């Protein structure tokens, strides 16, 4: 492995289409979950440069901070709390256009303005979430959801 990521500029469909095969190649021969999650966050950060990209993993019925790229973050989130805990409890993707308008949003960084959270699965079990924060309002939409679902399906 040990190749540089090929980063391109274009609309987000083009950028995801270029990135996803590279993430697949990064993770497909590596069985270690943490190693793969770490490389996924690095690849997403390198291509998109969002404020914060990271995983929270279910441990003892709470979410615990996992591999991430970006500013330091809250380490534990209870089920049903914040955007992450809500996405986990509902096992559904949540897109937040303006974090100030999401009741109970947990502000790990005051620079975060919008967010997307996707549940992640292993062997059919929800094992955590992928959380992405943007410093801009309304960054994430159905296109991001579709491609990020493809990425988390590689876990
Ligand atoms: N904003 C999240 C907390 C995690 S940080 O954004 C990294 C939430 O409301 O669950």
């Amino acid at each position: 492995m040990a190749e540089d990521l090929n980063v391109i500029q274009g609309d987000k469909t083009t950028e995801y289409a270029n990135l996803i095969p590279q993430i697949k190649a990064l993770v497909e021969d590596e069985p270690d979950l943490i190693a793969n999650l770490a490389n996924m966050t690095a690849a997403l950060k390198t291509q998109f440069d969002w404020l914060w990209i990271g995983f929270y993993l279910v441990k003892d019925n709470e979410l615990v901070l996992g591999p991430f790229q970006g500013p330091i973050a809250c380490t534990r989130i209870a089920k049903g709390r914040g955007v992450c805990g809500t996405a986990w409890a509902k096992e559904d993707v949540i897109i937040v256009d303006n974090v100030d308008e999401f009741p109970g949003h947990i502000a790990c960084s005051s620079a975060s303005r919008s967010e997307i959270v996707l549940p992640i699965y292993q062997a059919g079990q929800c094992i955590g979430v992928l959380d992405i924060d943007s410093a801009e309002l309304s960054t994430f939409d159905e296109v991001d959801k579709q491609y990020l679902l493809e990425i988390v399906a590689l876990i």
Side-chain angles (χ1 to χ4, degrees), residues 107-129:
C108 291
S109 165
S110 58
S112 175
R113 308 295 301 282
S114 61
E115 183 163 357
I116 184 169
V117 180
L118 303 95
I120 63 170
Y121 298 88
Q122 237 184 2
Q125 282 283 111
C126 181
I127 60 157
V129 298

Side-chain angles (χ1 to χ4, degrees), residues 5 18 53 61 86 100 103 113 121 123 129 151 154:
L5 197 76
N18 180 64
I53 300 155
N61 207 38
T86 304
D100 291 336
R113 308 295 301 282
Y121 298 88
V129 298
I151 290 172
L154 298 171

Side-chain angles (χ1 to χ4, degrees), residues 131-151:
D131 177 21
I132 304 178
D133 291 357
S134 166
E136 314 291 329
L137 291 170
S138 303
T139 295
F140 306 106
D141 57 21
E142 291 299 316
V143 174
D144 298 281
K145 175 178 171 178
Q146 177 196 325
Y147 286 107
L148 291 169
L149 282 171
E150 281 187 35
I151 290 172

Side-chain angles (χ1 to χ4, degrees), residues 52-63:
W52 196 92
I53 300 155
F55 291 94
Y56 282 90
L57 298 173
V58 175
K59 290 183 185 165
D60 295 333
N61 207 38
E62 62 183 349
L63 291 173

